[in-house]
C-alpha cells in the first residue's frame, strides 16, 4: 500500500541539475519534468541554438565552437543562466553546469539569488545506446523538439509534429563531433559527480528505457 502512495508525495522546492553524457536523455526528461512539475526547463544548448537562429546570430567564433562540439566560455554561459533563471522559482538545468568551474559559479549565483539546488541526477546510459541515440537523433530547428529515426518518429516523415518544420541533424551530432563531445564529457563534466556527491546532492538513475520509465525512476528523488 505504502509503495502506491510514494509517487504522490509532494515535490521538494529547489532546482534540479541533470547530468549525463550527450544522448543520455537529459533534454527529453527535462521537457517531461517541465510538463508535469512547476520546474522550468533551462537548456544552455537550446539557449545558444536559439540565439543563433534569431535575427542576430551568435558570434562566429562561438558558433564554430558549438559546431565542433567544444565548450563555449564559462562567463558567457553563467551570464545566460543569470538572465534566464531570474523569472522562475524552480528550474531543471539541462547541459549546465558542464565543468567544476561552472558549478562553482552557480554556487555563487545561488547565494546571490537565494536559490538552492535540490538534487543532481545523472542519467546512466551505456556507450552503445548513447551512440544509437545520437546517430538517429533529429531535431526541429524552430521548437527544438527531439525525434529519433527509429524510436521516436514524427507523424509525417521528416517533419516536426508541432511546427511542420523540416527536421535536421544537428551539426554536432555528426559522428566525428560526437566522439569529441563524449571525450569532453568524461574529462570535464564527469568530475561533477564527485563535486555534488561531496555536497550530498548526487543521485543517479538508469537512463535506458522510455521517457516515462526514466521519469518514474526520477520522481521519488524529487520528494525527499
Ligand atoms: P547541448 O545541447 O547541451 O548538447 O549543447 C550543445 C553545445 O552547446 C555544446 O556542445 C557546447 O558547445 C555548447 N554548450 C551548451 N551548454 C554548455 C555549457 N554549460 N558550457 C559550455 N558549452 C555549452
Amino acid at each position: 500500500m505504502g509503495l502506491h502512495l510514494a509517487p504522490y508525495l509532494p515535490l521538494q522546492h529547489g532546482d534540479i541539475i541533470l547530468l549525463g553524457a550527450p544522448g543520455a536523455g537529459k533534454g527529453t526528461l527535462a521537457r517531461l519534468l517541465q510538463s508535469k512539475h512547476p520546474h522550468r526547463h533551462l537548456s544552455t544548448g537550446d539557449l545558444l541554438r536559439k540565439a543563433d537562429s534569431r535575427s542576430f546570430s551568435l558570434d562566429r567564433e562561438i558558433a564554430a565552437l558549438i559546431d565542433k562540439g567544444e565548450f563555449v566560455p564559462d562567463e558567457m554561459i553563467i551570464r545566460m543562466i543569470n538572465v534566464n533563471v531570474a523569472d522562475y522559482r524552480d528550474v531543471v538545468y539541462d547541459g549546465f553546469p558542464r565543468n567544476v568551474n561552472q558549478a562553482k559559479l552557480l554556487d555563487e549565483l545561488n547565494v546571490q539569488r537565494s536559490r538552492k539546488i535540490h538534487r543532481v541526477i545523472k542519467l546512466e546510459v551505456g556507450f552503445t545506446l548513447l551512440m544509437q541515440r545520437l546517430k538517429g537523433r533529429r531535431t526541429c530547428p524552430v521548437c527544438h523538439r527531439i525525434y529519433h529515426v527509429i524510436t521516436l518518429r514524427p507523424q509525417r516523415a521528416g517533419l516536426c509534429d508541432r511546427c511542420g518544420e523540416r527536421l535536421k541533424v544537428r551539426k554536432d551530432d555528426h559522428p566525428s563531433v560526437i566522439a569529441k563531445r563524449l571525450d569532453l564529457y568524461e574529462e570535464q563534466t564527469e568530475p561533477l559527480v564527485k563535486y555534488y556527491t561531496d555536497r550530498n546532492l548526487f543521485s543517479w538513475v538508469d537512463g535506458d528505457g522510455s521517457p516515462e520509465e526514466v521519469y518514474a525512476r526520477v520522481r521519488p528523488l524529487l520528494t525527499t
Side-chain angles (χ1 to χ4, degrees):
M1 190 70 176
L3 276 180
H4 294 287
L5 289 174
Y8 301 104
L9 290 173
L11 296 172
Q12 296 286 325
H13 158 56
D15 297 329
I16 302 164
I17 293 174
L18 297 182
L19 291 182
K26 301 185 294 296
T28 304
L29 177 63
R31 280 185 193 89
L32 203 53
L33 285 169
Q34 178 173 262
S35 72
K36 293 174 186 277
H37 298 274
H39 293 82
R40 174 74 185 190
H41 174 204
L42 268 192
S43 153
T44 40
D46 281 351
L47 289 172
L48 287 164
R49 282 184 289 275
K50 250 183 232 165
D52 205 25
S53 57
R54 293 226 185 103
S55 41
F56 72 95
S57 53
L58 273 180
D59 184 285
R60 278 236 230 98
E61 280 172 29
I62 300 288
L65 287 176
I66 298 171
D67 290 350
K68 283 190 284 182
E70 289 173 19
F71 288 179
V72 310
D74 294 345
E75 295 66 34
M76 177 171 181
I77 295 289
I78 202 76
R79 252 187 282 128
M80 264 177 19
I81 292 293
N82 200 7
V83 169
N84 282 279
V85 85
D87 297 336
Y88 307 108
R89 181 165 184 258
D90 295 324
V91 299
V92 50
Y93 290 116
D94 154 21
F96 170 83
R98 222 129 160 156
N99 58 30
V100 170
N101 187 48
Q102 291 183 11
K104 289 181 179 163
L105 292 170
L106 177 62
D107 287 343
E108 285 170 20
L109 184 148
N110 283 343
V111 171
Q112 285 159 15
R113 290 198 173 273
S114 306
R115 302 185 71 89
K116 67 167 186 174
I117 299 168
H118 173 58
R119 213 171 261 274
V120 178
I121 303 167
K122 181 180 177 194
L123 302 180
E124 286 282 4
V125 173
F127 181 75
T128 312
L129 182 56
L130 282 181
M131 291 306 275
Q132 273 170 14
R133 284 186 181 170
L134 289 169
K135 284 183 182 164
R137 180 156 76 175
R138 299 291 179 270
T139 37
C140 172
V142 174
C143 72
H144 306 283
R145 195 162 168 175
I146 300 165
Y147 298 85
H148 190 278
V149 289
I150 297 165
T151 55
L152 196 60
R153 294 188 193 162
Q155 281 157 14
R156 287 178 299 155
L159 301 178
C160 178
D161 292 344
R162 193 182 293 151
C163 23
E165 195 73 21
R166 183 153 296 283
L167 302 178
K168 290 201 168 143
V169 178
R170 270 169 49 176
K171 279 195 191 148
D172 59 351
D173 274 346
H174 288 281
S176 58
V177 185
I178 289 176
K180 166 93 198 171
R181 291 166 64 210
L182 291 175
D183 282 353
L184 258 184
Y185 177 81
E186 278 304 317
E187 188 189 299
Q188 297 279 328
T189 314
E190 195 59 22
L192 291 177
V193 169
K194 177 166 182 348
Y195 186 87
Y196 288 119
T197 302
D198 290 348
R199 284 154 184 78
N200 235 348
L201 292 170
F202 181 76
S203 308
W204 67 272
V205 298
D206 182 357
D208 186 355
S210 69
E212 286 290 345
E213 283 167 341
V214 176
Y215 170 73
R217 293 171 199 144
V218 164
R219 178 66 170 79
L221 299 173
L222 308 180
T223 57
T224 51

